[in-house]
Amino acid sequence: MSGLEMRELECFLALADELHFGRAGERLYVSQSRVSQLLAALERRIGARLVKRTSRRVALTPLGERFLAELRPAYEGLASTVDRARAAARGVEGTLRIGFQGTADARLMEAIAAFQTRHPACLTEIVEIPFADPFGAVRGGDVDAAIVLLPVAEPDLVLGPVFSSERQTVAVSVRHAFAGRASLGAAELAGTPLISATAPAPAYWRTAHAPSDTPAPSVRTLQEGLTLVAADRGAMLLCRPTAEYHGRRDVVFVPVEGLPDSVLGMVWHRDGETARVREFARALTDGSAEA
């Protein structure tokens, strides 16, 4: 590796693509003779021919083919690293994709507004993620970070700011025995069928949001759950802002005493932390401190 010149590698990659010394030179903005010099220097460094040239054609040698297969991904990875460093040096730019579960509440929207004010060169996209898959969009790279209901106990995810602690309510049909109550105690839910999320939501997460041993349907989306509630197939726990947002005439939302508050948290993948993610986490933290 001593004295390795990036220009020699770039020359070889361009020549491997073009299989023509003149076109490779045009691509690199150098003369054809300079391409020959750079290739010769690389071949001396390696100790064998990488390219064979006749009066009619240019082709890679078998060693050249193997070298190309290993060099290209390594070079592209290095180029990506440099590009990311340049972006970080310029500041927070590009696009930040934020997923949210249930309802994009006021605290989230305030954080987005603050982030946009601080970083006008970064576009923020807001994406709703499935109720039954709180972590899939982050793992799949569909979003850079997500605002999800706690608990979060995923070793590959980072839990950032925690906010919006809200009282729990239970959604029941207008025909349900609880519909006329001003409030309920947590113990009264023990024998109530509570609609839960389906997999891939983890079992611990599903249990936290449906703490009942009584069998009940499971759903993929919040709307599916509320539809089953309206049909009197079970009850469903929701935080107060989500209950208010999804109000409907055939469903009643009754406050529940004695349950832990519903809490939101920002999560991102351990391998996906960027300056954009960190700055958005700071906007959420600042908003929580001001609340």
Side-chain angles (χ1 to χ4, degrees), residues 85-106:
R86 285 174 177 164
R90 288 195 301 267
V92 178
E93 299 180 349
T95 300
L96 177 68
R97 298 161 298 168
I98 297 292
F100 71 93
Q101 195 181 26
T103 305
D105 71 356

Side-chain angles (χ1 to χ4, degrees), residues 61-205:
T61 65
L63 177 61
E65 294 281 4
R66 292 196 299 273
F67 183 59
L68 175 65
E70 296 182 9
L71 173 62
R72 192 180 296 283
Y75 179 84
E76 290 174 351
L78 180 60
S80 296
T81 299
V82 173
D83 288 343
R84 287 194 296 271
R86 285 174 177 164
R90 288 195 301 267
V92 178
E93 299 180 349
T95 300
L96 177 68
R97 298 161 298 168
I98 297 292
F100 71 93
Q101 195 181 26
T103 305
D105 71 356
R107 181 66 54 77
L108 173 59
M109 300 311 296
E110 289 167 4
I112 290 171
F115 176 84
Q116 291 283 197
T117 299
R118 294 172 183 172
H119 307 289
C122 185
L123 174 67
T124 304
E125 293 181 354
I126 311 169
V127 180
E128 185 175 3
I129 60 178
F131 173 67
D133 193 8
F135 312 125
V138 173
R139 288 192 171 114
D142 299 318
V143 298
D144 299 300
I147 307 302
V148 299
L149 287 162
L150 269 57
V152 176
E154 306 297 306
D156 60 331
L157 302 183
V158 176
L159 175 60
V162 172
F163 61 102
S164 288
S165 178
E166 297 285 353
R167 188 180 185 184
Q168 299 253 38
T169 68
V170 62
V172 295
S173 163
V174 293
R175 301 181 299 281
H176 196 279
F178 292 157
R181 298 280 298 274
S183 65
L184 295 173
E188 295 180 85
L189 294 179
T192 303
L194 291 178
I195 295 168
S196 64
T198 63
Y204 73 84
W205 192 92

